[in-house]
Structures are given as C-alpha cells and as structure tokens.
Amino acid sequence: MAGKASLSDRIVDAILYTILLILALACVAPFIHVAALSLSNQAAVAARQVGLWPVGMHFQNYLFIMADRLFINSFGISLLRVVVGVSLGLLVTVITAYPLSRDHLYMPGRTIFKLLMLFGMMFSGGLIPYFLALRDLGLLNTFWVLIIPLALNIFNVILVINFFRGIPQELWEAAVLDGASHLQVLFQVFIPISKPVLATITLFSSVMHWNSWFDGVIFLKEAVQWPLQSYLYSKVTTRMLQWQTAVSAEVAGQTFQEATPEGLATAMILIATIPILIVYPLLQRYFVTGLTLGSIKE
Amino acid sequence: MTELIRTSPSVLLAEKTARATTTRRPPFRVILKQHWMLYAMLLPALILLALFHFYPIWGVLIAFKDYSPVKGILDSPWVGLDNFRRFFESQNAWPIIRNTLFIAIGKIFFVQLAALVFALMLNEVRIRIFKRAIQTATTLPHFLSWVIIGGIMVQILSTTGVVNRVIGLLGIAPIRFLGRPDIFPWTLIFSEVWKEFGFAAVIYLAALTAINPELYEAAAVDGAGRFGRLFHITLPGIRPTIVLMACLSLGSVLNAGFEQVLVLYNPVVYRTGDIIDTFVFRVGLVGQGGMPDYGLGAAVGLLKSGIGFFLILLSYWLADRFANYRIF
C-alpha cells in the first residue's frame, strides 16, 4: 500500500521477521531435538552433546520398540479406535443434527431435547460419578469404553445443525416432493453437499481420538488394551524402568546395547507424532471452521 | 408456495406455514405417525445423553453419601454435607483452589496476549509464503497430546536438558523447572503458551482479514504510519473478537489443564501445582494409601462443575450481551 518503504519501516520489518522466525523455530526445534536424541548413541546423549542433529546415529531405539509387542498392539488399538470412533461419531452427529435443523417442521419435544443437550454440554457430574456410571454399564475394561461414551459430540452436532440450516429450503422440498423419506433426504441430498463441515469434523475428531490417553489409563486395567498414547503415558511417567526389564526378556536373543530409556521415550514420542504430521496439511485447510468447534468447547 | 405445500405428500403436513392457516395443531398421535422417522433419528442421541450425561449426574448423589461400592448408590447412608465439610476443613482446600485459579487465569491471560501480539505481527508480513510457513510451525503443537508434549518437556526442561544448556551459556545455573514449587506453575503456564499461542492466533488472524482494506488505503492517504494504522484501524477492527474471547474465557477459569498437570507434576510440587482436577483424581479414583474416597472426590468434583456451570452460563450471557455471539 505504501509506495516506497522508508528506512525506519524496513528496520521495523526486519525486526518483525526476525522475531517471527525465532518464534517458529522455538515451536519446531524441540521436535527436531527429540528426534536427534532418539537417534544418537548413549555416550553422546549422556555427555549432552546432542543438539539438533544426531551424534553417532543408530536405529536401535526404534528396532527395540518394533520388537515390543505391547507397543505394536497399542498402535493397532489406536488406529482401530480412530476408524471406529470417528465413523460412529459421524453417523450419530448427522442423524441427530437433521431433525434438529428442520425448524419449519412442527415437532413437539424438539425444544426440550435441545435444552437437554445444552445442559448435558455445560454441566457434568464430574470424574467420579462418570467412572461409576461406566462401571455400572459394564463398559470398564472393554474396547468400547473408548468409543461409545464419545459417540455423541454435542459441539459437532451444533456445527452440523447450523450447516444443514444453511442448505436452501428448495432442495429439501424438491427431494420430499419426489417422495424421499427423511433418511433418504439426509443421506442422498444433505450429506453429499455437506462435505466441508463433515471433513472438518472427521479431521478434528480423528485427532481427538488419536490423542486421547486419560480414558485408556483409568478405564482399562490391562496394558494390552491400551491405545498408543496411554501406553506412552505409562512409559513417560515410570521412566521406562519396568519396561526395559520386561521387554528385554521378551526379545531375548536380540541385544540392543545402544537403546536407552531416554532414547526409547523419545523414539516413541516421535512415532506417536507422525500420524498427526501426516494429516496436518489437511488440518490446516480447515483451521477456521475447526476453530468454531474449538472455541465453544469448555 | 402455498400451492406446493397443499399438494405435497403427507410429510409436509406439519409445515409451519400450513399450521398458521389452520387453527388447530394436529394431535401428537398424528404427528408421530407421519414423522416417526424424525423421532427415531433422535433416539441414539437420546440414549447416549441419558447414559453418559444424565446417569452420571444422578450419580452425583454420592457426594452427599458415605458411598461404599458394595452397597451401591441408593443404599449407602446419607451424610449430608459431611464430604464438603471434610474438604474445607482439610489443609488441601485453599491451596488447591488458589492453584487452580492462578494457573488457569495465568494461562488465559498469557495465551491470549501472546496470540494477539503474534497475530498482529504476522498481519504485517507481506510475503505470503513466509506467513504461511510461520503459521504452519506455530500451530503444530496444538494438535499434539499432552503426553507427547509432556514427554518432550521432561526431556528439554530437566536440569541437564537442552533448555538449561542454553541458559547455561549465559552463565545461569541450571533451573529445576519441574521440581521447584515456586517455578512449577510458571512452567505450566508457559508450556501452555508455547503449545497454544499459534492456534489461538487463528481466530485473531481471521478477524484481521475481515477488516476492509480500503480503510488502510484511506489511512495511508491521510499519512498514517504503521503504528497509526495499528491503533486507529487494526485494533478497533478486531475489538469485538477481543471482547468475545475475554467473555468466553470466563467459562474456563476453573480449568487449569488436567492432562498437562497430570503428565508434568510430581509430589515435590503438589504445594503449588496440585489443582482441583488432579486432587479429585488422586483422592477419588487412585486412592492415597488405601481405598479411593469416592464421596470426597465426588463432592469436590461437584463443587467444581456446579460453579463451572454458572461461569459458563455467565460467559455465554456476556458474550451475547457484548459481542452478539450465540452458539445456537
């Protein structure tokens, strides 16, 4: 806009760009450092020589982890959790949002239902009654405790209601005049044109399911049932000590002299990060829509 | 339009415009017959609401009981407000409430401030690819769990970690970021700032792009400099967003970050780092040296969610009043 930048303007720009660059590096550098740690040899890690590049590169930490059956197992559970949890969540979201978005249809009880949903969204009984409820329902120590309690995400429902409301009424009427039932209208007319909002929900709930760990830790007793992040939590907190003895017995015959508790923790952290990095470019496209999801949360 | 409705199939019978022309609403039996599918579609959500939102709310009763798992919720004896009294008479109550408020408010303030300043800085950048690269880097940590970020923090913040190595170059003795009670809350606040400022800036950046560019051109013609534009156009332009964020943040002053604290804290820093959520978890589920104290955990949890509920209502009311924001 300003035709010629003055000298002071350019100095301000230079300072701005430098600060922004430092901020960006501060956000990325810890990941690179952790990656370098996971690939460096024991002596270099102990001597604190590792910065952003591995010293004495080796892959034993990763080989060790790949030989850990519990880890592979937890990775599989996490993937399964994402696929099943997100699909079920999407289904529940759209079939709930459809009736609530048809404001022009006279439907007694709808307002009460909405109020119940809003109340359920804003008030919870707290952790202890929630735990006892899951126990009473027989969900503890089953895979489904990671799926079913999260199937109804009220924020997502609100988002889809608002999107469905924006669909031109003529489209709905045309489909109904053609003799389509509500279910057919939803799946054959509404869903195909709701891709942006459904993509947002899919991405954000995939990340949510992948990242959840607390539910696994408290609702599932056995480590064989844990998703990856719960397993990682147990490793980060007990500092790998138990793990090392347990697993070295399991993979007897192979020795991993360069593997260290620190190296294993950092390697696992990195492996758990990779799936997020893969979907990250997609996520970025839906930031702003996703934000409306996030900003009304909590 | 009315023609269309009259000749349409029965599914349109309850159309509101049609209802306006008739004097009587159809009886519920008729509606159910025609629209049973709409109700059927709400059924899964109704069941899920009942099981995972309202059934636990009913379980809140144990906050007023001496709950024993053997007797169950109904048959456990009533104790009135005993559990609440035990909490407030213990040494724990005041420090925990103070820690929760301090950490939560510190996070809200510094995250929003950092996000706002960052967004304003990024808004000055004219090279698009640079802007995009910076945003990509700074929003990444938001999408990772506290287990991952916590694991990284433990590595880089330890006394021999890379952060202490860097500040060691400046001649500063190693700092126990995770082991000193006076520093630990600030470690929580600034690791949260590090994780969230980039994503929190997205909303400010969206508001910034909505400002009419003609205003800037007019200001340039009037001879306004960079800071003139900042104070007379940019800041007034995103004022509604700042007000909205301030209103909504009121709803989270009791959320100090359960998962973060759980990953990062240890008994050495309980004095300043223990928050309501972690206290409820330890006392009510894990049990400290014995059986979990369900009643106490439920009582403290209820206290938090009860006050939290009113804070959320208040924050929505304020957001509606001062920023014209509604969720429905």
Side-chain angles (χ1 to χ4, degrees):
Chain A
M1 48 205 76
K4 270 178 281 177
S6 66
L7 182 67
S8 68
D9 242 14
R10 271 194 235 158
I11 294 173
V12 173
D13 267 341
I15 296 171
L16 269 177
Y17 280 50
T18 312
I19 296 174
L20 288 172
L21 212 55
I22 292 171
L23 281 176
L25 283 177
C27 285
V28 178
F31 295 98
I32 301 173
H33 173 63
V34 162
L37 279 180
S38 72
L39 292 166
S40 297
N41 70 25
Q42 213 169 341
V45 173
R48 305 291 146 195
Q49 289 171 337
V50 184
L52 295 176
W53 198 254
V55 179
M57 192 142 108
H58 70 94
F59 294 95
Q60 290 211 358
N61 290 316
Y62 290 91
L63 295 174
F64 189 110
I65 289 169
M66 290 307 156
D68 176 10
R69 270 195 225 113
L70 274 179
F71 175 82
I72 303 296
N73 184 51
S74 70
F75 199 95
I77 290 172
S78 276
L79 286 181
L80 189 66
R81 167 181 193 167
V82 169
V83 173
V84 178
V86 172
S87 319
L88 187 68
L90 270 182
L91 182 68
V92 172
T93 303
V94 293
I95 62 169
T96 309
Y98 176 83
L100 299 181
S101 72
R102 302 296 86 201
D103 294 314
H104 58 284
L105 292 178
Y106 176 58
M107 190 182 167
R110 176 166 48 206
T111 311
I112 296 170
F113 187 88
K114 278 186 188 169
L115 286 175
L116 284 178
M117 259 191 11
L118 277 182
F119 183 71
M121 178 175 87
M122 291 189 253
F123 185 79
S124 77
L127 180 63
I128 311 302
Y130 188 62
F131 178 86
L132 295 177
L134 295 180
R135 192 196 58 186
D136 290 352
L137 295 167
L139 282 169
L140 290 190
N141 303 318
T142 67
F143 172 71
W144 296 104
V145 79
L146 307 174
I147 306 289
I148 298 175
L150 301 174
L152 176 67
N153 184 322
I154 296 164
F155 304 98
N156 291 352
V157 173
I158 294 174
L159 197 72
V160 177
I161 289 176
N162 289 335
F163 191 89
F164 282 174
R165 275 184 184 153
I167 293 174
Q169 184 66 9
E170 291 77 25
L171 220 56
W172 181 83
E173 277 166 6
V176 170
L177 282 178
D178 282 347
S181 69
H182 287 304
L183 220 51
Q184 283 167 325
V185 174
L186 171 60
F187 283 97
Q188 289 165 11
V189 181
F190 277 29
I191 287 182
I193 56 173
S194 303
K195 276 192 193 123
V197 71
L198 298 181
T200 309
I201 291 178
T202 305
L203 281 166
F204 277 75
S205 53
S206 302
V207 171
M208 184 272 287
H209 269 289
W210 179 263
N211 280 339
S212 295
W213 55 275
F214 183 65
D215 50 3
V217 172
I218 61 168
F219 301 140
L220 300 171
K221 208 188 294 167
E222 303 292 334
V224 287
Q225 295 179 304
W226 284 349
L228 179 60
Q229 304 260 353
S230 305
Y231 189 59
L232 184 58
Y233 170 72
S234 74
K235 294 310 157 202
V236 172
T237 49
T238 60
R239 297 305 194 92
M240 323 277 292
L241 287 176
Q242 289 171 299
W243 193 41
Q244 261 204 319
T245 48
V247 179
S248 49
E250 196 179 305
V251 290
Q254 282 191 68
T255 48
F256 299 94
Q257 286 174 342
E258 286 295 338
T260 59
E262 260 182 337
L264 293 172
T266 49
M268 265 176 82
I269 285 169
L270 230 35
I271 294 176
T273 307
I274 287 167
I276 301 286
L277 290 180
I278 292 171
V279 297
Y280 190 55
L282 270 176
L283 273 169
Q284 275 191 303
R285 261 202 264 161
Y286 296 100
F287 269 177
V288 178
T289 353
L291 198 79
T292 46
L293 271 173
S295 66
I296 50 173
K297 254 175 201 172
E298 290 188 336
Chain B
M1 197 54 205
T2 41
E3 197 53 39
L4 180 95
I5 289 161
R6 280 206 197 97
T7 54
S8 64
S10 65
V11 78
L12 282 178
L13 184 88
E15 174 83 42
K16 262 185 187 165
T17 41
R19 193 152 50 84
T21 58
T22 58
T23 45
R24 233 162 38 89
R25 289 175 175 185
F28 187 62
R29 188 167 32 83
V30 177
I31 293 165
L32 201 59
K33 203 170 173 186
Q34 280 158 357
H35 289 302
W36 64 269
M37 207 180 254
L38 289 179
Y39 288 96
M41 287 163 105
L42 287 183
L43 199 59
L46 187 66
I47 295 170
L48 290 167
L49 262 182
L51 294 183
F52 303 113
H53 289 272
F54 290 100
Y55 183 53
I57 288 175
W58 184 75
V60 156
L61 277 185
I62 68 168
F64 306 96
K65 291 193 164 207
D66 179 17
Y67 177 73
S68 113
V70 187
K71 289 181 191 151
I73 295 174
L74 277 181
D75 292 331
S76 293
W78 290 96
V79 292
L81 296 176
D82 233 35
N83 290 319
F84 296 90
R85 196 175 305 126
R86 277 200 295 142
F87 175 63
F88 284 111
E89 281 170 1
S90 75
Q91 302 290 311
N92 297 317
W94 168 237
I96 285 165
I97 294 167
R98 188 198 56 204
N99 294 343
T100 304
L101 290 174
F102 180 80
I103 295 165
I105 293 170
K107 280 178 176 178
I108 292 167
F109 180 76
F110 285 106
V111 169
Q112 293 303 325
L113 183 68
L116 179 61
V117 172
F118 173 68
L120 291 173
M121 283 165 69
L122 205 57
N123 196 43
E124 295 290 313
V125 172
R126 297 279 160 257
I127 307 166
R128 284 195 61 186
I129 189 155
F130 182 79
K131 197 172 178 174
R132 204 170 153 71
I134 299 287
Q135 240 200 318
T136 301
T138 49
T139 37
L140 176 64
H142 168 79
F143 292 98
L144 299 166
S145 72
W146 268 113
V147 170
I148 288 177
I149 302 294
I152 292 175
M153 289 294 157
V154 169
Q155 291 293 333
I156 66 175
L157 293 179
S158 74
T159 44
T160 52
V162 69
V163 172
N164 271 315
R165 266 159 63 201
V166 170
I167 62 174
L169 296 177
L170 306 172
I172 299 167
I175 299 168
R176 284 180 292 124
F177 292 103
L178 298 168
R180 262 178 65 176
D182 55 334
I183 289 178
F184 185 71
W186 294 102
T187 307
L188 292 177
I189 290 170
F190 285 103
S191 56
E192 171 91 3
V193 171
W194 177 80
K195 187 177 187 286
E196 298 297 336
F197 82 92
F199 192 71
V202 174
I203 194 160
Y204 294 115
L205 287 166
L208 285 167
T209 56
I211 296 176
N212 187 350
E214 281 171 22
L215 291 175
Y216 288 109
E217 280 154 31
V221 170
D222 287 350
R226 192 194 288 266
F227 291 97
R229 294 197 299 269
L230 174 66
F231 286 107
H232 297 295
I233 298 170
T234 310
L235 281 176
I238 58 168
R239 217 186 89 117
T241 310
I242 299 172
V243 172
L244 174 64
M245 295 319 282
C247 293
L248 289 181
S249 64
L250 186 67
S252 50
V253 295
L254 289 180
N255 293 322
F258 184 27
E259 299 197 343
Q260 179 196 17
V261 179
L262 205 57
V263 170
L264 291 178
Y265 81 160
N266 59 74
V268 179
V269 292
Y270 278 178
R271 187 161 61 79
T272 58
D274 199 13
I275 58 171
I276 297 174
D277 293 319
T278 46
F279 176 79
V280 168
F281 171 64
R282 276 202 326 279
V283 169
L285 269 189
V286 181
Q288 285 173 312
M291 277 291 290
D293 193 337
Y294 292 110
L296 185 61
V300 179
L302 175 62
L303 218 54
K304 187 204 162 195
S305 51
I307 297 171
F309 176 63
F310 283 105
L311 286 173
I312 289 173
L313 284 184
L314 186 62
S315 76
Y316 283 169
W317 181 79
L318 289 172
D320 180 31
R321 176 104 168 55
F322 295 107
N324 287 320
Y325 172 86
R326 280 175 195 232
I327 47 165
F328 249 121

